[in-house]
């Protein structure tokens, strides 16, 4: 389904990002960085639509087969709007785009970035703190800002959690979890997902999927695993959420609530022993780890949904919905028309 070739001075490209080969390293880094800064800034202002437009434009550039040297080469490629074209043109001509540079230097952008990098702080909280006049991490502490237990842990381990996790570290954590699950429930598999599964050499966290080949055996597993890891002093922070998929009352409408998924999950911070790097002096480093438990029947969808990237997943779901009239999420893939017919039918039983 990949379609990508040069056509009379322009490129042709499949319309959905999930149809395009998008290599980890590509030739248009300065352009995509500029666009992604604007996407981030739009996200900070709550303009999801604008943010998505810049993300889409960056995604198209990542799939180009070579370095773009003039705007004309892009031709009428879909997915790159007026504003993005202006940004691209500026960077191509001057090496930088004044608007992007302004954003990067703005107090609001810098503060929002600082705050949203705290584990447990999203755009809404960061924005509220900014409105209240808070600007630094010290401000948060000195003014006695009310923090959740999660945010307190995020602040305590701020530097570590904002130091990239190396692949070797992710694998080491994966092995520790592997050891724990073998004790608690032999036969359970642990799969490294997220950016590392896409081949990234480092990431911001470690995403691990747990499943057992016999349906139902995974029930109660997570709390036992977490307790054991905790007893080994491997966990600095954790909170878990239960599986809520089975509790759902019927299918969610396509494009409905934007919850990522409903698996049983543990958001944690691991204490990883290290020899080198920033934590070397004290001998350990804090690392964000997500443990997700998927029943075996949903595992393929969980793995697909947790491999990312975020934009790839969004596009895959859009493709399923618009082009196939199907619903894809991290639990299942189904024909939306049939399910709705079925629910309408069940409804007539009264
Ligand atoms: N994911 C998603 N939607 C979300 C959050 C996550 O689809 N709202 C999926 C796609 C992500 C994957 O889960 O790729 C893991 O989430 P991360 O935030 O850890 O993203 P990555 O692992 O891709 O990035 P990083 O390498 O920075 O950890
Ligand atoms: Mg990740």
């Amino acid at each position: 389904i990949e379609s990508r070739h040069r056509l009379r001075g322009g490129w042709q490209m499949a319309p959905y990002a999930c149809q395009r080969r998008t290599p980890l390293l590509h030739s248009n880094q300065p352009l995509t960085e500029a666009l992604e800064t604007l996407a981030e800034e739009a996200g900070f202002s709550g303009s999801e639509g604008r943010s998505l437009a810049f993300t889409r434009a960056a995604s198209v550039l990542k799939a180009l087969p070579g370095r773009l040297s003039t705007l004309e080469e892009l031709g009428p490629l879909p997915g790159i709007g007026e504003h993005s074209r202006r940004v691209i043109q500026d960077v191509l001509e001057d090496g930088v785009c004044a608007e992007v540079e302004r954003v990067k230097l703005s107090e609001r952008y810098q503060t929002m970035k600082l705050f949203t990098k705290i584990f447990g702080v999203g755009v809404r909280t960061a924005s509220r703190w900014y409105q209240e006049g808070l600007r630094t991490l010290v401000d948060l502490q000195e003014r006695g800002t009310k923090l959740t237990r999660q945010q307190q842990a995020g602040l305590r381990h701020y530097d570590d959690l904002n130091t990239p996790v190396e692949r070797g570290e992710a694998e080491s954590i994966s092995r520790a979890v592997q050891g724990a699950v073998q004790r608690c429930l032999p036969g359970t598999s642990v799969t490294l997902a997220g950016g590392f599964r896409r081949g990234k050499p480092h990431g911001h966290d470690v995403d691990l999927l747990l499943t057992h080949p016999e349906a139902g055996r995974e029930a109660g597993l997570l709390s036992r695993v977490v307790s054991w890891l905790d007893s080994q002093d491997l966990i600095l922070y954790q909170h878990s959420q239960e599986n809520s998929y089975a509790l759902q009352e019927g299918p969610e409408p396509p494009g409905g609530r934007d919850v990522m998924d409903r698996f049983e999950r543990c958001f944690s911070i691991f204490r990883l022993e290290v020899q080198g790097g920033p934590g070397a002096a004290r001998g350990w480093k804090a690392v964000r780890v997500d443990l997700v438990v998927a029943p075996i029947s949903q595992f393929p969808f969980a793995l697909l949904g947790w491999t990312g990237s975020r934009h790839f997943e969004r596009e895959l779901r859009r493709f399923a919905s618009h082009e196939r009239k199907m619903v894809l999420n991290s639990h299942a893939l189904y024909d939306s028309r049939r399910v709705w017919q079925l629910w309408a039918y069940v409804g007539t039983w009264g």
Side-chain angles (χ1 to χ4, degrees):
I1 52 175
E2 182 193 355
S3 111
R4 191 185 55 170
H5 35 259
R6 225 174 158 138
L7 274 187
R8 273 183 256 108
W11 275 298
Q12 204 186 43
M13 199 176 287
Y16 293 86
C18 57
Q19 297 173 292
R20 311 191 284 251
R21 183 183 297 279
T22 308
L24 218 45
L25 296 173
H26 60 88
S27 331
N28 292 290
Q29 207 75 38
L31 298 174
T32 58
E33 263 173 36
L35 292 166
E36 283 175 343
T37 301
L38 295 184
E40 190 180 28
E41 154 64 19
F44 287 163
S45 323
S47 315
E48 289 313 319
R50 219 154 50 82
S51 176
L52 189 54
F54 288 126
T55 302
R56 285 223 172 99
S59 155
V60 167
L61 297 187
K62 286 178 189 176
L64 289 180
R67 222 184 93 205
L68 190 70
S69 41
T70 66
L71 199 57
E72 288 66 45
E73 281 182 318
L74 273 182
L77 270 191
I80 307 188
E82 267 312 303
H83 196 157
S84 293
R85 280 176 193 268
R86 257 191 340 263
V87 174
I88 293 169
Q89 185 159 23
D90 287 352
V91 178
L92 288 177
E93 284 174 4
D94 309 329
V96 287
C97 165
E99 184 189 359
V100 175
E101 296 312 300
R102 244 191 340 267
V103 163
K104 284 202 281 196
L105 290 174
S106 80
E107 192 176 31
R108 189 183 147 85
Y109 174 80
Q110 289 182 1
T111 311
M112 288 296 287
K113 219 169 152 78
L114 181 81
F115 288 162
T116 52
K117 282 184 347 191
I118 303 172
F119 173 44
V121 177
V123 166
R124 238 179 312 155
T125 304
S127 197
R128 197 181 67 239
W129 289 345
Y130 182 80
Q131 307 274 308
E132 291 170 4
L134 301 168
R135 294 292 180 269
T136 65
L137 301 183
V138 173
D139 285 351
L140 285 177
Q141 282 154 331
E142 284 184 350
R143 301 219 204 150
T145 311
K146 215 169 162 312
L147 300 174
T148 63
R149 197 173 66 86
Q150 182 182 18
Q151 292 162 351
Q152 286 168 17
L155 207 50
R156 198 160 47 242
H157 302 294
Y158 190 87
D159 289 336
D160 277 8
L161 298 187
N162 286 293
T163 304
V165 183
E166 303 298 326
R167 174 172 290 276
E169 297 173 337
E171 283 164 355
S172 156
I173 285 173
S174 182
R175 278 194 301 276
V177 174
Q178 189 79 248
V181 300
Q182 287 324 317
R183 262 172 179 273
C184 301
L185 182 65
T188 303
S189 70
V190 176
T191 310
L192 182 58
F196 289 112
R197 186 157 186 265
R198 304 199 301 277
K200 277 174 63 176
H202 34 70
H204 95 283
D205 68 354
V206 182
D207 306 293
L208 294 172
L209 291 188
L210 277 52
T211 192
H212 191 279
E214 277 171 62
R217 294 291 302 278
E218 75 285 349
L221 170 67
L222 191 60
S223 62
R224 294 206 303 277
V225 168
V226 173
S227 295
W228 193 80
L229 290 165
D230 203 13
S231 73
Q232 303 299 301
D233 273 340
L234 285 168
I235 292 196
L236 295 163
Y237 169 89
Q238 61 93 8
H239 80 267
S240 294
Q241 95 190 0
E242 285 179 23
N243 179 339
S244 58
Y245 192 60
L247 302 177
Q248 243 183 280
E249 292 170 7
E252 283 186 12
R257 269 201 324 142
D258 186 25
V259 277
M260 197 200 139
D261 63 48
R262 292 159 173 274
F263 291 118
E264 186 182 8
R265 171 174 176 189
C266 176
F267 303 79
S268 70
I269 300 177
F270 270 49
R271 181 185 186 282
L272 175 71
E273 297 206 354
V274 290
Q275 256 98 53
R282 57 178 132 85
W284 61 271
K285 170 189 178 189
V287 178
R288 269 278 297 121
V289 180
D290 278 339
L291 301 175
V292 181
V293 180
I296 188 71
S297 62
Q298 297 168 24
F299 182 73
F301 306 103
L303 184 58
L304 179 60
W306 272 84
T307 298
S309 67
R310 229 163 257 240
H311 190 59
F312 178 88
E313 301 294 342
R314 195 190 290 126
E315 289 282 282
L316 201 55
R317 287 162 198 199
R318 195 166 67 93
F319 180 87
S321 157
H322 293 198
E323 305 298 325
R324 299 286 184 271
K325 305 284 174 252
M326 295 184 89
V327 176
L328 173 68
N329 56 35
S330 289
H331 299 275
L333 172 67
Y334 53 84
D335 186 322
S336 50
R337 291 159 302 188
R338 287 201 198 155
V339 174
W340 284 109
Q341 276 164 18
L342 178 68
W343 278 92
Y345 175 65
V346 170
T348 61
W349 290 349

